[in-house]
Amino acid sequence: MTKIAPHIISQAPMMDWSTRHQRVFLRAITRHALLYTEMVTAPALVFGDADRLLQHHPIEYPLALQLGGSDPEQLAKATAIAAQHPYYEINLNLGCPSDRVQSGQFGASLMADPGRVHECLQAMKSASGDIPISAKIRIGIDDQDPDITLLPFVEKISNLDLNTLTVHARKAILKGLSPKQNREIPPLQPHRAVDIKRAFPHLRVVLNGELKDPAADAHWLQELDGLMYGRAAYHTPWCLAGVDTDFFNTAARTTTSAEALRSCYAYINHELTQGMPLSHFTRHILGLFKDQPGARLYRRTLTEDAHKPGAGIEVIERALNHLNLGDNVE
């Protein structure tokens, strides 16, 4: 059987959301989908506590690391540090529109400087050893016209043997819109990802942007190489439950959402002994039973009780008791 590349279905890197606790939880739902870390800045990795910043659990693999930065030398050093771990790929963030990222002159703002992007990716590739390098882009920024700027931008980096080019298929408006607005207001143009794939067929192109249901979105795979899920994978994580059977031709990881959650108990208990407040995990599972009877009380119990001193697995079980799970078959 041909091995299917993990990036065919992936979870997006999201600041404050794609924590290692969330990734462990998603791994209880899908064995094979590619998971991404939160963005780690190259200076933080080079000059800070790399062990803490790169902390993850082996169960998270296949796992990709996302880096942020605009200095090729720093990115090379950060990549060399990260390459000591068996990441599936190391990704350069070229899509984040936040003020903090802009002030560091990286993220989406780098799309105004394709020459610098080429230097950064080339430096990362030279330092990555056997680990592939990828990039996550927007279709343009501010006043750029994708009809004019997008394909020339991709052409500038298309000769670097990138593992994947993930396309968040909307522009980033850096002047005047908040990061939240940048996820909602600029209109999606998913056909732009198809344009890239047709112009550069040797690139693996992954579509990102308001995708909600892998089964319904699978038609994009007739021309593209993968689908990336951000807010849907976070707020309605059970949407990934059919991924292993539908896309990777393997048995499902778990049969019910309650079973997936309970399979994380050993991990949660271990983290609790290391000082993790229960709420650091439970904030990632609030949407697990979305729209089911009892879901509101389930969320309320977790929200009100998980932050209390000494809170443990019993809080989750108490929350689950509000749901009509029957024989645990959903």
Side-chain angles (χ1 to χ4, degrees):
M1 180 181 294
T2 302
K3 185 176 181 181
I4 301 171
H7 66 255
I8 191 171
I9 301 291
S10 58
Q11 158 257 359
M14 298 176 290
M15 292 300 297
D16 299 321
W17 288 10
S18 304
T19 70
R20 61 189 176 92
H21 304 314
Q22 194 248 1
R23 299 189 306 260
V24 166
F25 168 57
L26 286 185
R27 197 50 84 208
I29 297 174
T30 168
R31 291 185 181 90
H32 302 296
L34 179 61
L35 306 183
Y36 279 79
T37 70
E38 302 173 89
M39 181 187 68
V40 179
T41 67
L45 203 54
V46 172
F47 302 112
D49 186 348
D51 288 340
R52 179 182 64 82
L53 292 169
L54 297 178
Q55 186 178 11
H56 60 274
H57 194 286
I59 198 174
E60 297 173 41
Y61 294 115
L63 177 67
L65 171 72
Q66 186 178 69
L67 291 180
S70 60
D71 181 283
E73 183 177 354
Q74 284 187 349
L75 281 165
K77 291 179 179 178
T79 298
I81 294 169
Q84 298 174 39
H85 300 273
Y87 290 112
Y88 175 79
E89 68 181 35
I90 299 175
N91 177 272
L92 180 62
N93 182 330
L94 301 172
C96 182
S98 76
D99 292 340
R100 181 169 67 88
V101 167
Q102 289 183 58
S103 66
Q105 296 183 317
F106 59 99
S109 62
L110 268 178
M111 292 198 66
D113 191 350
R116 174 57 67 94
V117 171
H118 185 279
E119 292 176 13
C120 290
L121 289 169
Q122 192 170 47
M124 292 170 65
K125 192 158 186 61
S126 69
S128 66
D130 295 332
I131 298 178
I133 299 299
S134 67
K136 186 171 187 287
I137 68 171
R138 294 284 187 127
I139 62 172
I141 59 172
D142 294 331
D143 296 329
Q144 288 181 340
D145 181 348
D147 282 334
I148 298 172
T149 61
L150 181 57
L151 294 185
F153 175 88
V154 176
E155 183 176 22
K156 187 70 177 179
I157 60 176
S158 64
N159 66 340
L160 290 172
D161 190 27
L162 296 178
N163 187 52
T164 309
L165 185 69
T166 299
V167 182
H168 184 163
R170 55 162 45 97
K171 289 177 65 174
I173 308 301
L174 305 181
K175 302 170 184 176
L177 293 185
S178 69
K180 182 178 186 297
Q181 290 171 318
N182 264 292
R183 294 191 297 267
E184 299 169 350
I185 291 178
L188 280 168
Q189 302 180 51
H191 67 278
R192 300 290 185 181
V194 176
D195 292 343
I196 292 173
K197 181 65 180 180
R198 290 175 178 173
F200 306 98
H202 67 284
L203 290 179
R204 289 175 170 175
V205 179
V206 171
L207 178 65
N208 172 233
E210 293 189 18
L211 298 173
K212 294 180 172 62
D213 179 353
D217 301 327
H219 64 94
W220 289 108
L221 296 175
Q222 294 174 22
E223 296 201 67
L224 300 174
D225 301 291
L227 304 168
M228 176 180 279
Y229 292 82
R231 282 173 288 169
Y234 191 86
H235 293 303
T236 55
W238 198 242
C239 73
L240 300 180
V243 161
D244 288 356
T245 55
D246 294 346
F247 295 90
F248 294 95
N249 302 321
T250 63
R253 184 69 187 250
T254 50
T255 58
T256 72
S257 46
E259 180 186 350
L261 177 53
R262 286 174 170 138
S263 73
C264 296
Y265 282 0
Y267 171 83
I268 295 170
N269 280 326
H270 175 267
E271 293 299 309
L272 291 173
T273 66
Q274 303 304 304
M276 176 194 77
L278 182 65
S279 58
H280 284 196
F281 187 94
T282 56
R283 71 186 182 92
H284 300 301
I285 62 172
L286 295 177
L288 183 57
F289 298 95
K290 183 176 173 61
D291 297 329
Q292 291 191 33
R296 184 180 62 83
L297 289 174
Y298 162 84
R299 292 191 300 271
R300 179 177 176 180
T301 300
L302 294 180
T303 302
E304 292 182 352
D305 296 347
H307 71 280
K308 294 179 180 178
I313 296 298
E314 73 284 349
V315 172
I316 300 177
E317 282 296 316
R318 191 159 64 248
L320 289 173
N321 285 337
H322 294 300
L323 301 161
N324 182 20
L325 300 180
D327 293 329
N328 206 28
V329 175
E330 300 165 12

